[in-house]
């Protein structure tokens, strides 16, 4: 079965740029989505189709995908961005999630 | 906009059947736009896709859960359901219903979860 690998945790200082990676075999041949989940809340999509932002998602969120790695980048990170982030792909009509990354803003 | 609400028992005994329902509001479940999905989240954090049902593409279940999962749609009540049987303590999780959007762009398929329910906690007891 297809697997997506994320680092368990990433730390970033306020105002700096933070990046979260998601790795999978030939991931660049698939579209990747990213979800943000804050404690006690349902996940929310922040990036879909590798780099598109849904309406209402701040411009500081961006995404890229090439080769075996997709990356979620948060520019000018704010305290409110502290959350768990999950990548997701669709492989052979099955949905695959990465294990999640806890982004800490400190 | 479409909103989803899960309902069902919060406690299920081991070896029995977990049954959850998701009521769709703000849109029709017969819409071909959405893939109606179930996803769960274990206490440790990870998300696991259970499966989806689509009017255009049929039903697909996670290979690891396929032998225990059944999904169905009740168009008259604008809701869809999940049955998981038999359950064990390992099925204890928060269960989300969700609506996914699927399409093609530049010859690649995309599929992402556009709307989530609030989630319902299910505990499997022995």
């Amino acid at each position: 079965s297809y697997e997506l690998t994320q680092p368990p945790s990433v730390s970033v200082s306020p105002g700096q740029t933070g990046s979260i990676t998601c790795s999978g075999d030939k991931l660049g041949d698939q579209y990747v989505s990213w979800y943000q989940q804050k404690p006690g809340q349902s996940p929310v999509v922040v990036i879909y189709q590798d780099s598109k932002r849904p309406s209402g998602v701040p411009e500081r969120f961006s995404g890229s995908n090439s080769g075996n790695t997709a990356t979620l980048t948060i520019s000018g990170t704010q305290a409110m961005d502290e959350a768990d982030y999950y990548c997701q792909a669709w492989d052979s009509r099955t949905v695959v999630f990465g294990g999640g990354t806890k982004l800490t803003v400190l | 906009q479409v909103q989803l609400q899960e309902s069902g028992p919060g406690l299920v005994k081991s070896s029995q059947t977990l049954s959850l329902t998701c009521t769709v509001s703000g849109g029709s479940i017969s819409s071909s736009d959405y893939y109606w999905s179930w996803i769960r989240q274990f206490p440790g954090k990870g998300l696991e896709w259970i499966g989806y049902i689509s009017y255009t593409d049929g039903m697909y279940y996670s290979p690891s859960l396929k032998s225990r999962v059944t999904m169905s749609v009740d168009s008259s009540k604008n809701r869809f359901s999940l049955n998981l049987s038999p359950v064990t303590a390992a099925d204890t999780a928060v269960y989300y219903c969700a609506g996914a959007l699927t399409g093609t762009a530049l010859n690649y398929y995309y599929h992402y979860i556009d709307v989530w329910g609030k989630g319902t906690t299910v505990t499997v007891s022995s």
Side-chain angles (χ1 to χ4, degrees):
Chain A
S1 63
Y2 196 75
E3 292 185 359
L4 297 175
T5 302
Q6 299 179 235
S9 62
V10 168
S11 297
V12 60
S13 299
Q16 299 302 303
T17 297
S19 296
I20 299 172
T21 58
C22 174
S23 300
D25 185 47
K26 298 181 181 178
L27 187 57
D29 291 342
Q30 305 177 47
Y31 279 121
V32 173
S33 305
W34 290 91
Y35 303 88
Q36 176 193 69
Q37 185 180 33
K38 296 183 178 180
Q41 298 182 17
S42 304
V44 175
V45 61
V46 292
I47 294 289
Y48 66 98
Q49 281 183 238
D50 291 344
S51 59
K52 294 187 175 182
R53 278 180 292 104
S55 60
V57 173
E59 290 185 8
R60 62 180 181 274
F61 287 86
S62 63
S64 63
N65 183 18
S66 180
N68 294 322
T69 303
T71 303
L72 173 69
T73 301
I74 309 172
S75 305
T77 306
Q78 299 183 10
M80 68 173 66
D81 300 330
E82 185 163 290
D84 292 328
Y85 291 85
Y86 296 89
C87 60
Q88 173 256 309
W90 197 42
D91 178 71
S92 301
R93 282 182 159 71
T94 60
V95 176
V96 181
F97 288 100
T101 299
K102 180 173 180 57
L103 178 72
T104 301
V105 182
L106 45 70
Chain B
Q1 70 279 19
V2 172
Q3 293 183 308
L4 307 176
Q5 178 64 59
E6 305 89 350
S7 59
L11 186 64
V12 181
K13 289 187 176 181
S14 184
S15 80
Q16 296 191 347
T17 300
L18 180 161
S19 295
L20 297 174
T21 297
C22 181
T23 301
V24 179
S25 59
S28 171
I29 199 167
S30 302
S31 165
S32 60
D33 291 340
Y34 281 104
Y35 282 46
W36 304 110
S37 308
W38 288 98
I39 295 159
R40 65 183 180 178
Q41 185 165 34
F42 300 109
K45 185 172 72 176
L47 292 169
E48 181 180 46
W49 175 72
I50 300 171
Y52 59 65
I53 188 166
S54 161
Y55 274 88
T56 56
D57 203 18
M59 285 181 287
Y60 283 86
Y61 302 147
S62 166
S64 64
L65 297 171
K66 187 176 182 179
S67 63
R68 298 194 291 134
V69 171
T70 304
M71 294 183 187
S72 60
V73 170
D74 185 341
S75 300
S76 66
K77 296 183 178 179
N78 221 37
R79 66 188 192 189
F80 61 104
S81 299
L82 166 71
N83 279 357
L84 180 66
S85 180
V87 295
T88 70
D91 294 310
T92 293
V94 175
Y95 285 75
Y96 294 98
C97 61
L101 295 177
T102 298
T104 56
L106 301 177
N107 294 322
Y108 290 102
Y109 281 101
Y110 62 83
H111 178 104
Y112 67 95
I113 311 299
D114 180 59
V115 59
W116 298 71
K118 294 186 185 301
T120 186
T121 300
V122 177
T123 301
V124 178
S125 68
S126 55

